[in-house]
Amino acid sequence: MAKANKKTPLAAPNYHWPILGHQSIKKYLAATLQKKTLTHAYLFYGQSHVGKYSVAIHFVASLFCKTNSGRPCWQCPTCKQILQQTHPDIYHISPEPDKKSISIEQIRKLQHSISLHSFLMNYKAIIIEEADNLTEEASNALLKTLEEPTEKTVIILIANFQESLPLTIRSRCQRIFFNILPTFQIENWLISRGVTASRARAIARYSNGKPGIAIQLASNLTPFEERKLHLDLLMHFFENKYINTLHYISDFIKNYTDNTNRATQDLLDSWIYLLRDALLIKISKQLTLNIPLHSILVTLSEKYSSNRLLKSINSIQASREYLDHFIKPQFVLEHLALTL
């Protein structure tokens, strides 16, 4: 009697993409590539700068790369086209430069494109950034595409908050949550790439668990200077009368006319971080010993009570949510000036 043939075990998926953190997510996606069990639609969600887009582009590149190694080589013509966003079968959708939302016209154009045959007789991939900024009409149009997926098409929606998307869309996607990373993980990663221990520690703390921010800080110190300006403005909010604060708000808005909403988001995120740091200093001044803003934060911590700092954090977090609901940044900051 002939022996039954043993199945050759599959090689371990090559999920070691050069992306900081998210090992379980990378391992899962690499396994779906290897086993050819891709879902037609994914929703990558989590805070900004945590690596959602980086994982998405490595996932797509691994699918298209001619080496078939489970990871992009970034050397073949296909990978180079992906880096340059010129690959004919990969579509990138995001709000147009002068718009806040993704329009129905953009989705309709996308639907027409994916209805055509693949240029290279292969997969088609769609990456929709800021998917939580789809208009209602665009969401309804996209829903039709999700309900009637085209063969060999992979759609990746990238969003900060899954709740901002209609349940009908969420339910048709494989949802993958990207969490912030532990500070020590970012610190060790920076040290392994030649950043000094003290600077790596400061950058890791500043990044608030967001590897994208850490990478920016490691290559460019200007964000440190920007956070110093953020702290100066926060002190004005605490110390000045409302009418004076309005002048500072007006100046801030004028400085960021090209992307006021994002600049205000970054400002409020910085304030939350800085106030939390001021609270930590009340426990021990050593907790922020290596941070360049240490002396100013000590002043802030000593001048205001824990209750005042906590109340301010809650007010800023509420203001951050107002921005997510498309309330104008100037109105948000002016209202916040009354509550701090």
Side-chain angles (χ1 to χ4, degrees), residues 117-145:
H117 288 294
S118 165
F119 282 87
L120 303 175
M121 303 303 292
N122 201 340
Y123 272 91
K124 289 187 177 184
I126 301 148
I127 299 176
I128 303 179
E129 297 182 70
E130 299 184 46
D132 35 7
N133 289 331
L134 286 156
T135 65
E136 184 177 352
E137 295 82 2
S139 294
N140 292 334
L142 178 62
L143 179 60
K144 184 177 180 181
T145 300

Side-chain angles (χ1 to χ4, degrees), residues 32-98:
T32 65
L33 289 167
Q34 181 196 40
K35 298 174 184 177
K36 302 187 185 304
T37 56
L38 278 70
T39 301
H40 76 280
Y42 297 86
L43 171 58
F44 291 0
Y45 69 99
Q47 294 186 41
S48 60
H49 303 294
V50 293
K52 302 186 296 294
Y53 180 80
S54 294
V55 171
I57 204 68
H58 276 75
F59 179 42
V60 169
S62 297
L63 176 63
F64 281 77
C65 181
K66 296 305 180 183
T67 63
N68 295 316
S69 63
R71 62 184 297 171
C73 69
W74 300 126
Q75 299 299 320
C76 68
T78 296
C79 281
K80 289 179 179 179
Q81 285 181 315
I82 292 171
L83 281 175
Q84 296 165 3
Q85 294 193 8
T86 58
H87 194 286
D89 289 327
I90 301 175
Y91 306 90
H92 296 262
I93 304 293
S94 62
E96 295 175 345
D98 58 338

Side-chain angles (χ1 to χ4, degrees), residues 228-240 245 248 271 274-275 295-301 303-304 308 340:
K228 171 64 166 60
L229 296 176
H230 288 174
L231 182 53
D232 289 342
L233 186 55
L234 177 62
M235 297 297 282
H236 287 306
F237 266 65
F238 271 115
E239 297 172 358
N240 286 279
T245 305
Y248 291 111
W271 284 359
L274 291 165
L275 289 172
S295 61
I296 307 175
L297 289 169
V298 168
T299 301
L300 183 66
S301 178
K303 191 168 184 178
Y304 299 101
R308 173 73 187 278
L340 283 184

